[in-house]
């Protein structure tokens, strides 16, 4: 019994940095595959004559598959973890990239992005669980390492456009078949470690299983249920803004600043790169000032900057978009940890809801904003987008960190909540 307790304590408190860096790297590779799709928009718009509405529907299809499936995968794997689903998910993405490189029309592109979306839906909840298992007592840092990998992968989109897709066109996507294969090889190693951790935890907690299951079946208090809904909505709003800038600001820069396709990607690269930096620093800031404070600040602090962004010149816009990217994504990993602490023991489900459903549902905005651009024009649409972060005022209604700890202590979940 003493030996088992020691194993459990070690499993919970030791931070496995090697595992965190590898899962962060594979997150980068996985999300770079997804980044290829919006990066191809200027290419597809010219080569296949697609409208902004059709481009929005491509993003909608990708993210809806990934976002709807992620909570489903998360709920299933909370009960039955699937370590070896990780490399299988990347193989699905690999076939999707292969199809994308040769797709002659919109239906074929949509089939390809469905395969990529399925791969992402499997990867993200299980990848988040790996980060959770490897975190020890540094959950905020662990989630930041994992999430910054994904945001860095997204930040590669402009580089992909400028260095690969502009000179090679749509066929340039073929290079990312190799990227998917490399990622799947890394994930085979991660899956072996993951499977071993599951066995260790099972043996160490066998006698506590019945008690834990009883706690997990407790009905969530109303304040927690409402907070989860509000958190998902707030992340959705942040995703709407992120999606609009990532997918359409390049067109805005081309139209208003007279830059080329390759030059327009500088704005997107700065936005996504600074977003990755913000994601990394958000964890330590949350440890010092609280998770709710960081979530609230990440949406409200950039409001003045987002509102004036459509009215400035290219140099000022580049500076503003970098600051906005840093601020607005500083709560990316923080929101995941905050959600996991709302519902302890449901790591996959909360990761699926926040990273998958809430963030992925921003794809709805891609269709809406794409249609709005076709209807009223690019400039009026970007002005409307600039006011979205004001909805961050709703974060004042989220429970404080201390309130969450108090509720979980009352429910007997204190052991799951980081102090």
């Amino acid at each position: 019994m003493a030996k088992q307790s020691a194993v459990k304590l070690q499993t919970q408190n030791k931070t496995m940095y090697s595992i965190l860096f590898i899962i962060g790297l594979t997150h980068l590779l996985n999300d770079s595959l997804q980044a290829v799709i919006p990066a191809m928009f200027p290419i597809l718009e010219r080569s296949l004559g697609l409208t902004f509405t059709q481009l929005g529907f491509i993003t909608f299809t990708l993210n809806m598959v990934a976002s709807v499936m992620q909570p489903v995968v998360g709920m299933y794997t909370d009960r039955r973890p699937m370590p070896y689903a990780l490399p299988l998910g990347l193989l699905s993405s690999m076939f999707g990239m292969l199809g994308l490189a040769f797709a002659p029309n919109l239906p074929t592109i949509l089939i390809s992005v469905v395969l990529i979306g399925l791969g992402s839906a499997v990867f993200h909840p299980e990848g988040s669980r790996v980060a959770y298992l490897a975190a020890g007592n540094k959950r905020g840092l662990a989630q930041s390492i994992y999430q910054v990998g994904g945001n860095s992968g997204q930040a590669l989109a402009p580089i992909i456009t400028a260095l690969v897709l502009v000179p090679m066109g749509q066929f340039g996507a073929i290079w990312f078949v190799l990227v998917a294969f490399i990622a799947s090889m890394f994930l085979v190693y991660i899956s072996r470690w993951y499977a071993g951790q599951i066995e260790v935890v099972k043996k160490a907690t066998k006698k506590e299983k019945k008690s834990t299951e009883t706690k997990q079946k407790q009905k969530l208090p109303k304040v927690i249920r409402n907070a989860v809904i509000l958190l998902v909505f707030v992340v959705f709003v942040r995703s709407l803004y992120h999606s609009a800038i990532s997918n359409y600001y390049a067109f805005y820069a081309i139209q208003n600043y007279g830059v080329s396709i390759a030059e327009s990607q500088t704005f997107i690269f700065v936005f996504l790169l600074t977003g990755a930096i913000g994601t990394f620093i958000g964890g330590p800031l949350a440890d010092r000032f609280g998770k709710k404070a960081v979530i609230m600040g990440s949406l409200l602090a950039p409001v003045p900057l987002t509102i004036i962004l459509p009215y400035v010149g290219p140099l000022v816009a580049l500076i503003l978009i970098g600051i906005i990217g840093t601020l607005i994504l500083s709560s990316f990993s923080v929101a995941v940890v905050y959600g996991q602490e709302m519902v302890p023991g449901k790591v996959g489900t909360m990761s699926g809801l926040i990273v998958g459903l809430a963030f992925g549902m921003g794809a709805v905005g891609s269709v809406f904003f794409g249609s709005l651009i076709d209807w009223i024009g690019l400039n009026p649409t970007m002005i409307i987008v600039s006011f979205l972060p004001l909805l961050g005022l709703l974060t004042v209604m989220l429970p404080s960190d201390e309130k969450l700890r108090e509720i979980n202590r009352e429910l007997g979940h204190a052991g799951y909540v980081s102090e």
Side-chain angles (χ1 to χ4, degrees):
M1 176 65 71
K3 185 176 180 180
Q4 287 182 339
S5 298
V7 171
K8 181 181 177 183
L9 186 62
Q10 185 181 22
T11 301
Q12 289 179 336
N13 294 328
K14 186 177 179 181
T15 303
M16 303 293 295
Y17 287 103
S18 61
I19 296 298
L20 289 174
F21 287 130
I22 293 173
I23 196 64
L25 174 61
T26 54
H27 197 182
L28 183 153
L29 296 175
N30 177 81
D31 282 26
S32 70
L33 301 179
Q34 291 182 254
V36 171
I37 296 168
M40 289 181 69
F41 280 2
I43 308 294
L44 295 175
E45 188 234 356
R46 292 189 179 182
S47 63
L48 298 182
L50 301 182
T51 66
F52 282 103
T53 302
Q54 289 172 322
L55 294 176
F57 193 66
I58 292 171
T59 306
F60 173 80
T61 301
L62 170 67
N63 286 280
M64 280 301 292
V65 172
S67 66
V68 169
M69 288 297 294
Q70 274 195 50
V72 175
V73 172
M75 285 187 285
Y76 182 83
T77 55
D78 277 335
R79 295 176 177 272
R80 294 184 179 87
M82 301 186 300
Y84 291 95
L86 284 165
L88 290 176
L90 262 292
L91 288 176
S92 173
S93 295
M94 185 180 76
F95 286 112
M97 293 309 303
L98 184 63
L100 196 61
F102 294 98
N105 50 43
L106 181 62
T108 312
I109 290 172
L110 293 177
I111 293 170
S112 299
V113 299
V114 164
L115 289 174
I116 296 169
L118 286 172
S120 180
V122 172
F123 174 83
H124 281 98
E126 287 296 85
S128 186
R129 192 188 310 279
V130 169
Y132 185 88
L133 288 171
N137 55 8
K138 298 181 179 179
R139 291 183 191 170
L141 175 62
Q143 197 63 226
S144 288
I145 292 172
Y146 170 67
Q147 296 295 353
V148 80
N151 287 0
S152 298
Q154 294 171 19
L156 291 175
I159 298 175
I160 291 168
T161 301
L163 300 183
V164 181
L165 298 179
V166 169
M168 295 187 66
Q170 183 180 339
F171 182 72
I174 197 71
W175 284 102
F176 296 91
V177 174
L178 179 61
V179 171
F181 179 75
I182 292 171
S184 66
M185 292 300 98
F186 277 121
L187 288 172
V188 170
Y189 172 79
I190 288 289
S191 295
R192 288 174 181 169
W193 177 86
Y194 179 7
Q197 287 299 110
I198 292 171
E199 290 305 313
V200 168
V201 173
K202 278 182 180 178
K203 290 177 182 177
T205 59
K206 189 174 181 180
K207 292 191 176 182
E208 300 172 14
K209 185 177 179 183
K210 186 174 181 180
S211 173
T212 301
E213 287 177 346
T214 300
K215 288 175 183 177
Q216 290 181 353
K217 289 177 181 177
Q218 288 177 328
K219 189 175 181 181
L220 290 176
K222 185 177 180 180
V223 64
I224 294 295
R225 292 199 305 274
N226 291 343
V228 169
I229 294 169
L230 180 57
L231 180 64
V232 169
F233 178 74
V234 167
V235 175
F236 166 64
V237 169
R238 185 187 67 198
S239 174
L240 281 177
Y241 185 82
H242 186 275
S243 177
I245 297 296
S246 301
N247 292 329
Y248 300 118
Y249 197 83
F251 295 103
Y252 180 86
I254 291 169
Q255 177 176 300
N256 289 275
Y257 305 141
V259 298
S260 66
I261 291 177
E263 290 169 339
S264 72
Q265 298 304 306
T266 304
F267 295 91
I268 309 305
F269 176 70
V270 169
F271 179 68
L272 297 176
L273 178 63
T274 55
I277 294 170
T279 297
F280 185 73
I281 65 177
L285 286 175
D287 290 338
R288 180 165 184 177
F289 300 107
K291 299 175 186 66
K292 176 184 175 178
V294 171
I295 293 169
M296 185 185 305
S298 74
L299 280 170
L300 295 182
V303 166
L305 307 182
T306 64
I307 290 175
I308 66 172
L309 181 62
Y311 305 101
V312 298
L315 180 59
V316 176
L318 194 63
I319 296 169
L320 290 182
I321 209 166
I323 299 171
I324 292 167
T326 303
L327 292 172
I328 209 159
L329 282 187
S330 62
S331 63
F332 195 103
S333 60
V334 177
V336 177
V337 176
Y338 183 76
Q340 289 172 347
E341 293 187 356
M342 280 186 187
V343 191
K346 299 293 183 182
V347 177
T349 302
M350 294 310 298
S351 174
L353 282 174
I354 296 167
V355 180
L357 186 62
F359 194 76
M361 282 293 286
V364 174
S366 294
V367 176
F368 173 74
F369 290 129
S371 300
L372 202 60
I373 291 169
D374 288 334
W375 181 33
I376 66 173
L378 190 55
N379 286 9
T381 300
M382 297 310 293
I383 291 171
I384 293 170
V385 166
S386 70
F387 287 93
L388 280 173
L390 271 173
L391 290 171
L393 287 168
L394 294 172
T395 56
V396 299
M397 295 187 288
L398 289 171
S400 67
D401 296 49
E402 181 53 42
K403 181 67 175 178
L404 278 185
R405 286 192 285 267
E406 180 184 328
I407 292 171
N408 280 289
R409 278 194 292 267
E410 291 173 0
L411 294 175
H413 287 147
Y416 291 95
V417 182
S418 60
E419 298 293 342

